[in-house]
Amino acid sequence: QQPVQSPQAVILREGEDAVINCSSSKALYSVHWYRQKHGEAPVFLMILLKGGEQKGHEKISASFNEKKQQSSLYLTASQLSYSGTYFCGTEGQGKLIFGQGTTLQVKP
Amino acid sequence: DTGVSQDPRHKITKRGQNVTFRCDPISEHNRLYWYRQTLGQGPEFLTYFQNEAQLEKSRLLSDRFSAERPKGSFSTLEIQRTEQGDSAMYLCASSLDWTSRQETQYFGPGTRLLVL
């Protein structure tokens, strides 16, 4: 079952914050976040494991809410380099199933 | 560590032709995955291997698609009798075994296929 991401697209000014959500109808064991720039491969950002632990990567952090079966990615004080499409992947029988993506555009 | 590599990076073919793509995973990774991605969508799972064993193949995958990983190292994905709907980015990823649940998949640069 494919996870559902929201919103589908976000436009920000440099320095603004954004939140991207990833929800699943199935129980989550882990959520993997990736960023993909146009024409390039997805790049791994971080993994969230069952247990609600929040992780960080530069000014990008994420949380895992087991009860809601949801993970959220937080981008604070966004930079131009944050532009791209963000995907969450949920584990299913040994492989990742990806959401449809959230496109983030950061403008100067 | 050179990362996951894929060859070719781009392929243009005519409808009805066969094409083959190669993926070389990160050297110590025993799992290898193939995904397909079309514009505006997330990567769609096709198949994956643990060493040389093909553990799962997507039910949505046509019989025209076949993948091999004969010696548990590199893998090939072949598409026979290509159709215009096969045009997409084909992504390969690799990982260590997930028993610890701390592992993740690392993607190669992809092969972009255009079927005319």
Side-chain angles (χ1 to χ4, degrees):
Chain A
Q1 192 90 22
Q2 185 181 32
V4 176
Q5 291 185 232
S6 62
Q8 286 191 327
V10 183
I11 300 175
L12 298 174
R13 294 284 181 192
E14 260 187 303
E16 292 182 339
D17 303 339
V19 180
I20 300 171
N21 297 307
C22 173
S23 299
S24 174
S25 58
K26 290 175 54 176
L28 291 177
Y29 296 101
S30 65
V31 178
H32 305 231
W33 285 98
Y34 291 78
R35 177 172 61 208
Q36 185 177 33
K37 295 192 180 274
H38 184 69
E40 300 179 8
V43 174
F44 172 70
L45 293 176
M46 66 189 75
I47 179 173
L48 280 298
L49 299 176
K50 183 178 178 179
E53 180 185 355
Q54 188 151 344
K55 286 205 165 186
H57 174 79
E58 298 176 344
K59 292 182 181 177
I60 301 174
S61 62
S63 64
F64 187 117
N65 188 319
E66 192 178 333
K67 283 186 180 179
K68 290 185 178 180
Q69 294 176 174
Q70 176 178 294
S71 177
S72 297
L73 188 72
Y74 306 94
L75 300 101
T76 57
S78 58
Q79 306 168 15
L80 294 176
S81 61
Y82 287 1
S83 293
T85 302
Y86 290 78
F87 294 100
C88 66
T90 56
E91 184 189 336
Q93 295 178 315
K95 80 277 187 186
L96 292 180
I97 306 297
F98 289 92
Q100 80 279 20
T102 296
T103 300
L104 178 73
Q105 185 180 3
V106 182
K107 294 186 173 182
Chain B
D1 181 5
T2 56
V4 180
S5 61
Q6 293 185 244
D7 184 70
R9 296 290 306 277
H10 302 274
K11 179 71 177 180
I12 300 174
T13 191
K14 291 183 179 179
R15 190 177 53 182
Q17 298 293 306
N18 299 344
V19 294
T20 300
F21 309 142
R22 176 179 170 127
C23 171
D24 286 86
I26 293 171
S27 57
E28 65 268 24
H29 285 181
N30 57 351
R31 289 196 173 187
L32 187 149
Y33 312 82
W34 285 100
Y35 288 84
R36 175 173 60 192
Q37 187 177 30
T38 53
L39 197 63
Q41 299 298 315
E44 174 195 4
F45 170 76
L46 296 179
T47 188
Y48 88 97
F49 293 83
Q50 176 147 328
N51 300 312
E52 64 274 8
Q54 187 172 19
L55 295 189
E56 187 176 345
K57 184 176 175 180
S58 170
R59 286 172 292 176
L60 301 176
L61 200 59
S62 162
D63 289 343
R64 296 183 296 105
F65 287 70
S66 62
E68 292 184 338
R69 194 182 183 198
K71 296 182 180 178
S73 56
F74 73 91
S75 175
T76 57
L77 177 69
E78 181 183 18
I79 309 174
Q80 296 182 326
R81 304 181 303 281
T82 53
E83 301 172 357
Q84 288 183 324
D86 296 332
S87 297
M89 172 80 91
Y90 290 83
L91 293 165
C92 175
S94 71
S95 76
L96 292 169
D97 202 331
W98 280 12
T99 52
S100 71
R101 294 199 185 278
Q102 297 278 354
E103 302 299 331
T104 193
Q105 298 173 179
Y106 296 91
F107 283 89
T111 294
R112 187 171 294 280
L113 173 66
L114 177 61
V115 182
L116 301 176

